[in-house]
């Protein structure tokens, strides 16, 4: 499972269209503002690859729209993806504390063998690590189960790799041209 | 008072566990090489998840760095120079 060349091409096309729309924010501005515009357009291009089918991409569209609603809407319009702005995110799951507490009480009553204790410890460690994933994957806090979280994580990584590959190629080509 | 908890099928946790194992295996394949000694499956799963978090953070940091670099490139090139034309043709 790796980024495909067609993914790279599609990302580049969308990103270029986004940069054209963002151009007023890129010309005649500070390095810092230009960087923000470049990154924002790259994130929108990456998220739009998934056409609203994944939770992480919907969450990323929402996040970028929070940063600059006008430009993001313009870019989505330019790349024919206006509908992405309205894709809904799942509601946050409410945890029933009473049930959890009761379950923990029941669990504590049992005495465990050494191997059972080791397995329980490993399981708790995995749980903590999945919580870490929720923090770094867009919309991770909203995913209701660990299987969905890992599926979204896999897809997000492939998309991030696409973004990095294309951006790095542009930087390398530009720097090579300057040195000529 | 009705029992609000639905009874869980005995096969459900096993199916979910198998899915998790499969997904962790796929994550392992997509990550850069993990040069760690192999331990139990659960501890290994934990290591894979930790490496995944680190990898995602690294990729995001790289996007940030590349954005900054592109911004600087556009800044340093004179508006009418051939270099500016090349960069803009690549980007826009």
């Amino acid at each position: 499972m790796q980024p495909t060349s067609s993914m790279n091409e599609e990302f580049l096309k969308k990103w270029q269209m986004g940069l054209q729309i963002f151009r007023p924010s890129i010309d005649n501005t500070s390095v810092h503002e230009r960087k923000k515009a470049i990154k924002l357009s790259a994130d929108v291009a990456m998220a739009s690859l998934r056409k609203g089918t994944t939770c992480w991409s919907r969450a990323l569209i929402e996040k970028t729209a929070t940063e600059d609603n006008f430009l993001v809407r313009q870019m989505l319009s330019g790349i024919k993806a206006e509908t992405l702005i309205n894709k809904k995110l799942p509601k946050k799951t409410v945890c029933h504390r009473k049930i959890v507490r009761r379950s923990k009480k029941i669990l504590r009553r049992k005495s465990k063998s050494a191997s059972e204790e080791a397995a329980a410890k490993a399981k708790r460690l995995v749980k903590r690590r999945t919580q870490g994933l929720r923090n770094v994957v867009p919309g991770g806090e909203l995913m209701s189960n660990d299987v969905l979280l890992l599926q979204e994580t896999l897809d997000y990584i492939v998309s991030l790799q696409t973004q990095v590959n294309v951006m790095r190629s542009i930087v390398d080509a530009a720097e090579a041209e300057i040195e000529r | 008072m009705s029992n609000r908890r639905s009874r869980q099928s005995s096969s459900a946790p096993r199916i979910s566990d198998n899915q998790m194992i499969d997904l962790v295996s796929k994550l392992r394949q997509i990550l850069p090489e993990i040069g760690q000694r192999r331990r139990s499956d659960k501890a290994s799963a934990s290591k894979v998840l930790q490496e995944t978090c680190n990898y995602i953070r690294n990729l995001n940091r790289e996007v940030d760095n590349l954005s900054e670099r592109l911004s600087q490139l556009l800044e340093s090139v004179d508006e009418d120079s051939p270099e500016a034309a090349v960069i803009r043709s690549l980007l826009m």
Side-chain angles (χ1 to χ4, degrees), chain A residues 31 34 129 161 168 175, chain B residues 50 55 62 69 71 90:
Chain A
V31 171
R34 184 181 304 117
R129 299 299 190 217
Q161 287 171 336
R168 191 187 284 138
E175 289 179 340
Chain B
Q50 178 67 53
Y55 186 51
E62 176 140 18
R69 186 63 187 135
S71 179
L90 288 167

Side-chain angles (χ1 to χ4, degrees), chain A residues 16 19 27 31 34-35 39 102 122 125 129 132-133 147 156 158 161 163 167-168 171 175 177, chain B residues 5 23 30 42 46 49-50 53 55 60 62-64 67-71 75 86 88 90-91:
Chain A
Q16 284 173 330
L19 287 171
D27 296 340
V31 171
R34 184 181 304 117
K35 172 195 171 184
K39 184 174 187 321
R102 194 186 310 157
L125 196 57
R129 299 299 190 217
L133 271 185
V147 168
Y156 179 54
V158 169
Q161 287 171 336
Q163 191 184 34
M167 293 181 80
R168 191 187 284 138
V171 168
E175 289 179 340
E177 181 62 26
Chain B
R5 286 178 293 169
L23 288 165
I30 207 173
K42 279 297 183 177
S46 170
L49 294 175
Q50 178 67 53
C53 290
Y55 186 51
N60 277 308
E62 176 140 18
V63 169
D64 203 63
S67 299
E68 173 113 29
R69 186 63 187 135
L70 281 169
S71 179
E75 174 86 356
V86 169
R88 290 181 191 282
L90 288 167
L91 281 178

Side-chain angles (χ1 to χ4, degrees), chain A:
Chain A
M1 189 178 186
Q2 294 292 330
T4 62
S5 58
S6 66
M7 269 184 84
N8 290 344
E9 287 166 19
E10 190 181 355
F11 169 81
L12 178 57
K13 189 188 308 175
K14 288 178 187 294
W15 188 35
Q16 284 173 330
M17 293 175 71
L19 287 171
Q20 287 172 29
I21 293 165
F22 280 38
R23 184 156 184 173
S25 298
I26 289 173
D27 296 340
N28 305 317
T29 187
S30 69
V31 171
H32 178 66
E33 288 299 312
R34 184 181 304 117
K35 172 195 171 184
K36 282 173 61 182
I38 291 171
K39 184 174 187 321
L40 197 72
S41 60
D43 281 344
V44 174
M46 176 178 73
S48 67
L49 292 179
R50 289 297 178 244
K51 299 178 170 60
T53 59
T54 60
C55 184
W56 72 260
S57 61
R58 296 200 295 269
L60 187 53
I61 294 282
E62 180 166 301
K63 178 174 178 290
T64 52
T66 300
E67 291 175 28
D68 196 322
N69 189 267
F70 178 72
L71 280 180
V72 169
R73 283 176 177 274
Q74 271 206 312
M75 178 171 172
L76 289 173
S77 177
I79 61 178
K80 305 291 190 291
E82 301 98 319
T83 57
L84 294 183
I85 199 72
N86 293 319
K87 289 285 186 177
K88 295 203 190 302
L89 288 166
K91 289 183 168 58
K92 204 155 193 167
T93 305
V94 178
C95 179
H96 297 279
R97 271 192 220 94
K98 188 187 290 183
I99 296 177
V100 170
R101 201 182 306 124
R102 194 186 310 157
S103 301
K104 285 179 177 174
K105 196 179 297 181
I106 294 172
L107 285 176
R108 270 198 294 268
R109 292 185 200 143
K110 300 176 182 175
S111 59
K112 295 191 179 71
S113 69
S115 61
E116 278 173 342
E117 184 61 39
K121 186 175 181 180
K123 192 165 186 177
R124 286 195 298 272
L125 196 57
V126 168
K127 187 176 182 61
R128 196 183 310 152
R129 299 299 190 217
T130 55
Q131 182 58 43
L133 271 185
R134 288 180 194 284
N135 293 332
V136 296
V137 174
E141 296 289 352
L142 307 172
M143 295 170 201
S144 55
N145 64 73
D146 287 347
V147 168
L148 173 62
L149 173 65
L150 289 202
Q151 287 167 343
E152 293 266 330
T153 299
L154 279 161
D155 192 65
Y156 179 54
I157 289 175
V158 169
S159 301
L160 265 179
Q161 287 171 336
T162 299
Q163 191 184 34
V164 167
N165 290 344
V166 172
M167 293 181 80
R168 191 187 284 138
S169 297
I170 299 291
V171 168
D172 290 347
E175 289 179 340
E177 181 62 26
I178 288 178
E179 287 165 6
R180 277 210 294 120

